[in-house]
Amino acid sequence: MKALFSSSCLVSRAVLCAALVLPSVGGSAQQFRIPVSEEHEKMLTGQYEPTWESLVTHQTPEWFRDAKFGIWAHWGPQCVEGSGDWMAREMYMEGNGKYKHHVEHYGHPSEFGFKDILPLFKAERWQPDSLIARYKRLGAQYFFVLGNHHDNYDLWDSKYQPWNSMNIGPKRDILAEWAAAARKAGLPLGISFHADHAWNWYEPSQRWDLEGPKAGIYYDGTMTKEDGKGKWWEGLDPQMLYQQSHPLSKGSWDNGACHGQWDWTHGACPPSREFVTNFYDRTLDAINRYNPDLIYFDVTVLPFYALSDCGLKIATHLYNKNPRGVVFGKILNDEQKKALTWDVERGAPNALVEEPWQTCNCIGGWHYNTDIYEKNHYKSAAFVVRELVDVVSKNGCLLLSVPLRADGTYDEKEAAILDDLEVWMKQNGESIFGTRPWVKFGEGPVADSDIRLNAQGFNDGMYNKMTAQDIRFNTSKKHLYVTPMQWPEDGRIVVKSLAKGNKDFTKAISSVYLLGHGKLKARQTTEGLIVDLPAKHCNPIAPVLRIAR
């Protein structure tokens, strides 16, 4: 074990990184540019070039606009402990719940770190064919798999990262098996890459306990290849996993500081060219091997944006390789939304969006969390339906994660949610798939509220506030679909936007069709279109009305 001799090293590291002031997103980045090397993986040249002027000519393909709904297997070794998302970071935060859980069940992070969790990720009950078949029955039109997370472990037979699922843990090429199952089911494949933030995300692994019997002993994030002699990981370099041979970012001991530094500003320690190029090489390796239709980055705009050409080159490579490809980015300006497909995390804009976009959400935590299971804190099928209908009405698609345990299975409570969701989707799917927005996305208290995004999203609490008065619209070539977010208690729907004399739907309406039931009488008044629903509900979540255009 390496003991801490003084706290002066922390001060010197913080001062060094604080001096590296970075440009803001959208500003000139020439002074701090970190160009990737193409020595190992060359960007595919063709129609597109790695500039915004070129990438804005790429259009989000119609197949994606038609899809509306995808499932995400956000699954990897951070599911082993069942303590939830970001456990590989928070297990190094003294006093944190994940730290306490790790110390109690696995050992102290100076002796048993996240690298030692990796062999415990076995995926012993994982059956990708049956899982994807289940997701397709549910209505999924595309499928996403986690390529790597911030924990920097690659879930494939990686050429450039020895800490991968073929070498350690399952001893299987997870990505290859997911990809084969998706193709067998006829679903477009997406891969998400998150490892570009391992550089600062793992910084707590450089720390040490401030109190207790192990105070002053470094955690294993400072270990090197030489420390592995006689250990199970002999021959592997922990720095290829943790990437902590660098100064700490400004304020690194503030556990929340990394959120404000996510765009590599506000004192974030800049990554080395070697680290940036390694991420680039790994991403192109996966794209070239598994031929995804979609790639997702959990970043501001693109990986290392404003510091490097890495993200622009990756996007260019995919577009040149796959013209029907989709690249997602977060916190985009209007120009960037034309070059990339905007992703909103756990929420949605409260407005109709011109360019196609996506929201990503999860029925639980991003990594499996036994506390959510035990306390019944999963999102209900009704919540998912409300979000799906709302997002589709605003020109978006929903990517939904269903957390898997480390063995590759979901629990019985999740299974019940999927069953309920499947019932609604089979009955009402025609109002979702292949549709387009109407002249307005909806009406009602939530639609009329000033609900704003928080950073990249995080406003999905609005779906808990919706009632039968919250109505959403979308269209096909022949029909207008009207979906109240709940069944009204009095059995009556009043659609104000379809009142007699309205300018947006001038055709007289005397009847509507309730999906799953049949034709109903309707009458237009100056108050709105009034529809009395049958006493017996045809599904337990929400009605959908179909009106001929």
Side-chain angles (χ1 to χ4, degrees):
M1 298 180 189
K2 288 183 281 189
L4 172 66
F5 296 104
S6 74
S7 61
S8 61
C9 63
L10 172 63
V11 176
S12 62
R13 286 172 173 177
V15 169
L16 176 59
C17 252
L20 298 170
V21 179
L22 305 181
S24 62
V25 172
S28 173
Q30 290 299 117
Q31 184 179 357
F32 303 102
R33 200 92 177 142
I34 307 173
V36 297
S37 168
E38 294 188 49
E39 178 183 356
H40 299 117
E41 297 289 338
K42 293 190 179 299
M43 182 195 76
L44 185 64
T45 58
Q47 179 180 352
Y48 301 100
E49 297 178 356
T51 66
W52 290 113
E53 291 79 9
S54 176
L55 296 182
V56 294
T57 65
H58 181 272
Q59 300 294 312
T60 301
E62 287 298 300
W63 77 261
F64 179 73
R65 297 192 69 190
D66 289 337
K68 304 304 182 188
F69 182 58
I71 291 288
W72 191 2
H74 192 288
W75 173 63
Q78 287 184 80
C79 298
V80 167
E81 296 195 17
S83 58
D85 197 32
W86 283 34
M87 64 77 50
R89 171 180 165 88
E90 295 182 27
M91 62 166 280
Y92 295 106
M93 296 177 179
E94 184 181 11
N96 181 283
K98 295 180 176 67
Y99 167 94
K100 292 178 181 178
H101 178 89
H102 180 82
V103 170
E104 179 181 354
H105 296 281
Y106 298 91
H108 191 265
S110 64
E111 301 166 342
F112 196 102
F114 185 69
K115 70 181 187 312
D116 302 292
I117 290 293
L118 299 179
L120 306 181
F121 176 52
K122 300 292 188 183
E124 61 269 28
R125 298 175 62 195
W126 174 54
Q127 296 180 339
D129 282 341
S130 62
L131 284 169
I132 290 183
R134 177 71 185 89
Y135 300 150
K136 188 171 182 178
R137 292 198 308 273
L138 182 67
Q141 302 295 300
Y142 59 105
F143 174 74
F144 252 94
V145 58
L146 191 72
N148 49 42
H149 198 250
H150 311 315
D151 60 22
N152 211 25
Y153 170 89
D154 284 352
L155 287 146
W156 76 91
D157 185 16
S158 181
K159 290 168 61 177
Y160 304 103
Q161 172 56 296
W163 298 85
N164 67 63
S165 63
M166 278 294 287
N167 290 342
I168 306 164
K171 303 295 179 70
R172 298 167 70 174
D173 188 327
I174 301 292
L175 234 174
E177 294 189 46
W178 276 129
R183 291 193 181 92
K184 182 179 178 180
L187 295 181
L189 174 70
I191 307 175
S192 66
F193 301 97
H194 310 241
D196 52 308
H197 271 100
W199 181 269
N200 51 9
W201 189 82
Y202 261 136
E203 284 187 5
S205 70
Q206 291 192 46
R207 299 180 188 175
W208 53 87
D209 281 1
L210 298 177
E211 300 177 351
K214 295 188 182 298
I217 300 175
Y218 280 109
Y219 301 153
D220 73 326
T222 62
M223 287 185 174
T224 64
K225 188 174 182 178
E226 289 70 31
D227 295 312
K229 189 174 181 179
K231 307 288 181 61
W232 73 264
W233 47 275
E234 184 173 0
L236 291 169
D237 184 357
Q239 290 311 309
M240 282 295 293
L241 180 70
Y242 296 130
Q243 292 290 341
Q244 293 306 302
S245 296
H246 66 79
L248 293 171
S249 298
K250 181 181 179 180
S252 183
W253 279 67
D254 174 356
N255 292 334
C258 79
H259 298 285
Q261 297 169 344
W262 207 248
D263 61 359
W264 300 100
T265 64
H266 300 96
C269 188
S272 67
R273 189 185 185 199
E274 291 75 19
F275 177 73
V276 173
T277 296
N278 179 257
F279 177 81
Y280 167 85
D281 286 340
R282 288 155 66 185
T283 306
L284 260 63
D285 175 42
I287 291 171
N288 292 338
R289 289 197 202 189
Y290 308 111
N291 298 305
D293 297 291
L294 317 95
I295 56 174
Y296 168 107
F297 298 113
D298 189 6
V299 299
T300 301
V301 187
L302 283 170
F304 310 107
Y305 177 66
L307 292 180
S308 176
D309 56 355
C310 174
L312 288 170
K313 284 189 170 181
I314 294 171
T316 301
H317 182 83
L318 183 77
Y319 288 164
N320 282 332
K321 183 176 176 60
N322 184 352
R324 72 194 295 268
V326 181
V327 178
F328 295 100
K330 298 182 179 181
I331 313 183
L332 306 178
N333 63 32
D334 290 342
E335 179 189 25
Q336 293 160 349
K337 287 175 184 176
K338 296 176 182 177
L340 308 173
T341 301
W342 183 33
D343 180 83
V344 178
E345 183 175 349
R346 291 190 183 273
N350 205 28
L352 180 56
V353 179
E354 180 180 357
E355 298 289 341
W357 61 283
Q358 173 184 266
T359 188
C360 58
N361 211 331
C362 184
I363 63 172
W366 286 121
H367 281 97
Y368 191 83
N369 191 324
T370 54
D371 193 54
I372 291 176
Y373 167 79
E374 291 168 357
K375 294 181 179 179
N376 295 316
H377 285 171
Y378 285 126
K379 293 179 176 67
S380 67
F383 182 103
V384 174
V385 166
R386 288 194 291 271
E387 180 167 34
L388 175 63
V389 172
D390 177 68
V391 166
V392 168
S393 75
K394 298 170 180 174
N395 202 28
C397 298
L398 170 63
L399 177 61
L400 181 69
S401 176
V402 180
L404 298 176
R405 295 173 287 206
D407 66 2
T409 62
Y410 50 75
D411 61 53
E412 79 282 357
K413 294 179 182 179
E414 294 176 283
I417 294 168
L418 296 183
D419 289 343
D420 291 343
L421 186 56
E422 181 179 355
V423 169
W424 191 90
M425 294 286 276
K426 282 188 174 180
Q427 182 182 99
N428 300 289
E430 71 168 81
S431 70
I432 299 295
F433 306 119
T435 61
R436 295 292 184 270
W438 191 41
V439 295
K440 61 191 300 186
F441 75 86
E443 66 178 47
V446 172
D448 294 337
S449 299
D450 183 16
I451 300 174
R452 301 183 183 184
L453 297 176
N454 177 17
Q456 65 262 40
F458 303 112
N459 64 354
D460 64 349
M462 63 179 164
Y463 298 116
N464 292 317
K465 301 175 182 179
M466 290 182 172
T467 69
Q469 289 181 300
D470 292 290
I471 296 171
R472 297 294 177 265
F473 307 104
N474 55 324
T475 65
S476 66
K477 291 181 179 180
K478 296 183 178 180
H479 301 108
L480 171 68
Y481 294 97
V482 179
T483 307
M485 293 304 196
Q486 291 184 15
W487 290 89
E489 292 183 4
D490 63 0
R492 173 170 290 183
I493 297 172
V494 179
V495 187
K496 296 179 180 179
S497 299
L498 296 177
K500 190 174 183 178
N502 80 88
K503 62 181 176 53
D504 296 319
F505 197 94
T506 56
K507 182 179 179 179
I509 304 170
S510 60
S511 66
V512 301
Y513 188 93
L514 174 63
L515 298 187
H517 174 80
K519 194 172 183 180
L520 300 175
K521 290 183 178 180
R523 63 185 186 278
Q524 283 180 291
T525 70
T526 54
E527 179 186 2
L529 177 70
I530 301 175
V531 182
D532 291 315
L533 299 173
K536 184 178 180 180
H537 297 172
C538 52
N539 72 70
I541 295 177
V544 180
L545 302 178
R546 186 179 72 197
I547 302 172
R549 296 181 69 183

